Amino acid sequence: MNTAVATKRAAMILSLVAAAAANVAHADEGMVIWKNLECGYFILQMKAGYGLYEWVAGPYPNDGDVIEGELKTPGEHRVNNKTADVPTTIFLDTYSDKRAAISARMPNHCKAKPDYKPFEGS
């Protein structure tokens, strides 16, 4: 094998490994600790904070489900529900390291539901 081809092949393999590592590094993981099916919102607890999400499509997450994907970037994301082993689409409303900040951002239409159980912040 000529050295130019070997060098190109090695560079290509390194770039593929770097791209795969970058994708893994951006994947966050959180557990569903609160949900309200009536209003379509749920809260994930992650190592560094909490996220308030709106369910968009796919199976609705259940309490205790582990969700993996892009969880801290605002907007809509297709993520993986590792517990159910299915993809779902969610929309990040807000992310914070404080429970109280998440509780304060709960939409009013959720609070107005008769079965609403507040997410207490402290």
Side-chain angles (χ1 to χ4, degrees):
M1 181 184 288
N2 106 21
T3 53
V5 172
T7 302
K8 285 181 184 179
R9 185 174 286 167
M12 184 174 66
I13 290 171
L14 284 174
S15 67
L16 290 173
V17 169
N23 285 339
V24 171
H26 292 294
D28 297 308
E29 189 173 280
M31 181 184 294
V32 177
I33 60 168
W34 180 94
K35 71 176 187 318
N36 186 312
L37 299 174
E38 292 292 317
C39 72
Y41 280 79
F42 64 97
I43 295 171
L44 292 178
Q45 180 176 2
M46 292 165 262
K47 288 182 182 178
Y50 303 87
L52 175 64
Y53 300 88
E54 184 175 6
W55 170 84
V56 176
Y60 199 86
N62 292 306
D63 288 333
D65 282 1
V66 175
I67 308 294
E68 176 184 59
E70 189 65 46
L71 302 177
K72 296 178 187 171
T73 303
E76 187 173 298
H77 301 282
R78 187 172 170 98
V79 297
N80 184 42
N81 181 329
K82 288 176 64 173
T83 305
D85 195 27
V86 293
T88 192
T89 303
I90 62 176
F91 182 87
L92 173 60
D93 182 84
T94 192
Y95 177 83
S96 178
D97 60 345
K98 306 240 185 284
R99 288 175 66 103
I102 298 298
S103 182
R105 289 291 305 254
M106 194 60 61
N108 286 332
H109 73 275
C110 290
K111 293 177 184 178
K113 300 284 182 187
D115 66 339
Y116 175 72
K117 291 183 178 82
F119 176 72
E120 299 298 327
S122 60

